Each structure stands twice: as C-alpha cells, then as structure tokens.
C-alpha cells in the first residue's frame, strides 16, 4: 500500500491559477519575471512535472495574449483596472456613422465586374466611349510590292561605301639605335 501512495500522480492546481497566485504573492511593483514565478511555484507546490518550464512558458504566453497578465520590460504583472485598453497595431478604423434602427445597410453597388447578359445579341467591335478609336495597337497596313526607289545621284557619284569607315592605323617608322 505504501508504494501505491508514492507512485500516485500529484494533483496540482491548473497552471494559470498557480501563476496568478505567484504574481500576487511576489507582489513586486514592476511585476515578476519568469524565473521568479517558476521558483515560487517550485517552492510552494514542491514536486512539479518534468516539462515545467515549457508548460510555464506556454501558459504565461496564453495569459498574456488573453489579457489576464500584462508583459512589460520582461516582467509579468496583473493588468491595472484603471489603465486604458491596449490598442492594436496600425491605424485605428474610422468611426462609423450611427445607422437608424430598422434600416438595412447595403453597399452602393456590387463589387467586381458585372456579369454578361446571356440574352444580349453579340455585338461587333465595341468602341470605347468618347474617343472613337478601337482599343489596342492598330493593325499593320499591308504594302503593295513596288520597285525600290532610285538611289539619288549625289550618293551614287560620291564613290564612298556605305557605313562607318574603318579606323586608320598609324604607319610604323623605323628607329635606329646608336650605341
């Protein structure tokens, strides 16, 4: 019988309850850090589970997110009841105008492109309003085959070839060395 009592699992209160008791008991003005809360729980409740630090971190984070605890300068403390509510990040939304009761609010027009009318007759090219031209790049106009234009007499008589002339290389001169 004595061995059964030793192997019996410990019945600890829930972590959020232990954390709140620790913060209240420590009663530090700037709040209590995680290690102080952990040491208080260990000294008060004696035997604790193997994954105590992981569980403590998880529950501290959950309590911080839910607003049960405030995290400031690496310390956890109970929230001040007189403090203004914590604002979220980013720009606050614009205040909405009060709507009289009994009125249904509908958007001024539906979002997105309106659906095509299935009963509408197919139309030819639709010209955008106002400009009188069709959209997009104009089509190429096919040319009729004609003989090439005659070369002007001034260019034909000059005798110069087309394009950029080649770079002129300087002539090498022989230098004699006297000893």
């Amino acid at each position: 019988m004595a061995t059964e009592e030793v192997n019996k699992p410990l019945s600890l209160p829930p972590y959020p309850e232990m954390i709140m008791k620790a913060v209240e008991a420590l009663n530090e003005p700037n709040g209590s850090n995680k290690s102080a809360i952990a040491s208080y729980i260990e000294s008060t409740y004696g035997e604790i589970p193997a994954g105590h630090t992981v569980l403590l971190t998880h529950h501290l984070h959950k309590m911080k997110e839910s607003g049960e605890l405030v995290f400031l300068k690496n310390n956890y403390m109970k929230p001040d009841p007189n403090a203004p509510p914590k604002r979220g990040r980013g720009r606050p939304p614009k205040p909405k105008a009060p709507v009289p009761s009994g009125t249904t609010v509908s958007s001024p027009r539906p979002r997105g492109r309106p659906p095509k009318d299935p009963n509408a007759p197919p139309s030819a090219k639709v010209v955008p309003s106002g400009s009188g031209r069709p959209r997009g790049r104009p089509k190429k106009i096919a040319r009729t085959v004609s003989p090439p234009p005659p070369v002007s007499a001034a260019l034909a008589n000059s005798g110069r070839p087309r394009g950029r002339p080649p770079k002129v290389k300087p002539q090498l001169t022989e230098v004699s060395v006297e000893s």
Side-chain angles (χ1 to χ4, degrees):
M1 288 276 193
T3 56
E4 289 177 12
E5 290 176 14
V6 173
N7 294 337
K8 207 180 207 182
L10 296 171
S11 60
L12 292 173
Y15 262 86
E17 190 177 309
M18 290 193 292
I19 291 169
M20 288 306 277
K21 284 183 183 174
V23 170
E24 289 167 4
L26 292 168
N27 198 22
E28 294 178 15
N30 295 331
S32 308
N33 61 12
K34 184 166 50 170
S35 59
I37 294 170
S39 59
Y40 177 84
I41 291 172
E42 288 171 16
S43 65
T44 307
Y45 298 101
E47 287 285 324
I48 50 174
H52 168 68
T53 54
V54 175
L55 283 167
L56 181 66
T57 304
H58 170 75
H59 284 284
L60 282 170
H61 182 71
K62 268 178 69 174
M63 292 173 77
K64 179 179 76 170
E65 292 298 315
S66 68
E68 294 176 65
L69 288 178
V70 176
F71 185 68
L72 185 67
K73 295 183 182 174
N74 212 25
N75 290 334
Y76 294 91
M77 60 186 89
K78 289 176 74 174
D80 184 13
N82 301 329
K86 187 179 173 189
R87 256 190 51 196
R89 294 178 61 179
R91 186 177 182 145
K94 286 184 178 179
K96 299 199 175 193
V99 178
S101 61
T103 312
T104 57
V105 178
S106 64
S107 60
R109 57 186 162 146
R111 294 179 61 161
R113 185 178 181 143
K116 286 186 176 180
D117 184 12
N119 301 329
S123 60
K125 285 190 177 180
V126 177
V127 179
S129 61
S131 70
R133 307 179 106 194
R135 291 177 45 190
R137 185 181 178 116
K139 298 278 185 209
K140 277 190 171 180
I141 301 170
R143 289 189 180 172
T144 57
V145 180
S146 62
V151 179
S152 68
L155 289 176
N157 294 340
S158 68
R160 265 195 241 161
R162 293 176 51 193
R164 183 181 181 128
K167 188 173 182 182
V168 178
K169 294 179 183 171
Q171 294 272 335
L172 292 176
T173 57
E174 205 170 298
V175 179
S176 63
V177 178
E178 292 179 25
S179 38

